[in-house]
Amino acid sequence: MNSTENNETLKAVLFDVDGTLADTERDGHRPAFNAAFEEFNLPWYWDVPLYGELLQVTGGKERIRFYMEKHQRDELERSDLDAWIAGLHKAKTRHFKALMERGEIPLRPGVKRLIHELRGRGVRIAIATTTTPENVTYLLQSTLGENATDLFEVIGAGDIVPQKKPAPDIYFWVLDRMQLKPSQCIAIEDSENGLQAARSAGLTTLITVNHYTRQQDFTEAAAVLSDLGEPDQGFTAISNLPATVGKSWIDTDALMQLLEQP
Ligand code: XBP
Ligand code: MG
């Protein structure tokens, strides 16, 4: 391993969830929102392009309110609007759970391999996400088994911090819990909101893009890739990949090389 004097060795990897571990947004959260709307007898439907616009706002409750402000202004007159949105969102979480239990959403390429490899190398791993904590459990259990949440030292999720991404709050919360400095960690994200959150917390950030995020601005990323890649099916490098990462899949050594970039 190369190491320069001023840089830190990789101590931890902080994973985003939605869009990064799995393609949950289009085929998980979106249909779960639509099922909740149907359950509440609302004539609302979020198709794939509309959901892409709504993704600019993170957090399911916040996203519902944003949609109402843009497209359903009359509904804002409901008495006890906050509680009504919370109820609708609770139904959405139930539908998301059912979807995860059906096991139809796999982890993205390289995710399972990297998680186990990092653990084997003694690199600590954690989650930093805006999604509801239960959703993280549902996804991890459906893809990595019953005890999958134990793989992660800290799971930072949902409303435990005042502001969701692009604010850095969730990353600061996780770093504080782990007693680590940002210079000792790498964040893996899929979106501009996620990148902003991680960068504002001082973290080197690797981006793996997806359907919704590939056109976003990732200038600040350490590297932008199609996915984490596998030894037998490498990633496509989109931008910023340093030449020192001399392979087409992300493993512990590749993350160390990204962290050690000047
Ligand atoms: C994910 C989100 C969330 C999910 C929905 O961000 O923005 O709002 O779309 O989850 P990240 P909830 O990629 O940082 O995890 O409905 O549970 O809020
Ligand atoms: Mg994400």
Side-chain angles (χ1 to χ4, degrees), residues 19-36:
T20 299
L21 296 185
D23 268 321
T24 43
E25 292 293 12
R26 190 182 64 183
D27 303 327
H29 291 294
R30 188 185 65 86
F33 280 111
N34 285 329

Side-chain angles (χ1 to χ4, degrees), residues 47-204:
D47 62 18
V48 172
L50 172 61
Y51 194 66
E53 288 165 37
L54 300 175
L55 277 174
Q56 66 186 277
V57 173
T58 60
K61 295 187 285 291
E62 294 81 351
R63 191 168 300 141
I64 291 169
R65 183 183 290 272
F66 176 67
Y67 167 74
M68 292 172 76
E69 283 164 358
K70 283 196 100 175
H71 300 283
Q72 306 289 346
R73 294 204 62 82
D74 292 353
E75 299 276 4
L76 291 168
E77 306 302 321
R78 282 176 185 276
S79 61
D80 222 350
L81 184 62
D82 285 353
W84 183 81
I85 290 177
L88 180 58
H89 185 252
K90 208 168 161 195
K92 177 257 163 178
T93 301
R94 186 164 25 80
H95 289 289
F96 185 81
K97 179 184 185 196
L99 257 155
M100 290 302 114
E101 282 173 349
R102 276 188 251 139
E104 285 163 15
I105 301 198
L107 294 176
R108 298 192 61 198
V111 169
K112 183 175 180 176
R113 173 187 53 75
L114 182 62
I115 285 172
H116 288 297
E117 198 209 301
L118 289 166
R119 297 262 316 176
R121 293 278 299 263
V123 179
R124 299 157 69 187
I125 58 171
I127 297 274
T129 174
T130 64
T131 204
T132 304
E134 296 94 293
N135 296 348
V136 182
T137 307
Y138 305 148
L139 174 70
L140 293 178
Q141 288 182 341
S142 83
T143 52
L144 290 168
E146 197 55 32
N147 301 319
T149 52
D150 298 345
L151 293 167
F152 295 87
E153 183 180 326
V154 171
I155 295 184
D159 297 325
I160 50 169
V161 287
Q163 287 196 69
K164 292 182 176 165
K165 297 173 189 176
D169 301 25
I170 196 67
Y171 279 108
F172 284 136
W173 189 90
V174 170
L175 289 168
D176 185 52
R177 281 290 175 102
M178 298 178 92
Q179 290 291 292
L180 287 171
K181 294 183 281 185
S183 56
Q184 299 171 307
C185 309
I186 280 206
I188 305 185
E189 278 282 356
D190 69 301
S191 70
E192 195 175 336
N193 278 330
L195 176 64
Q196 263 191 53
R199 292 295 297 144
S200 303
L203 289 153
T204 297

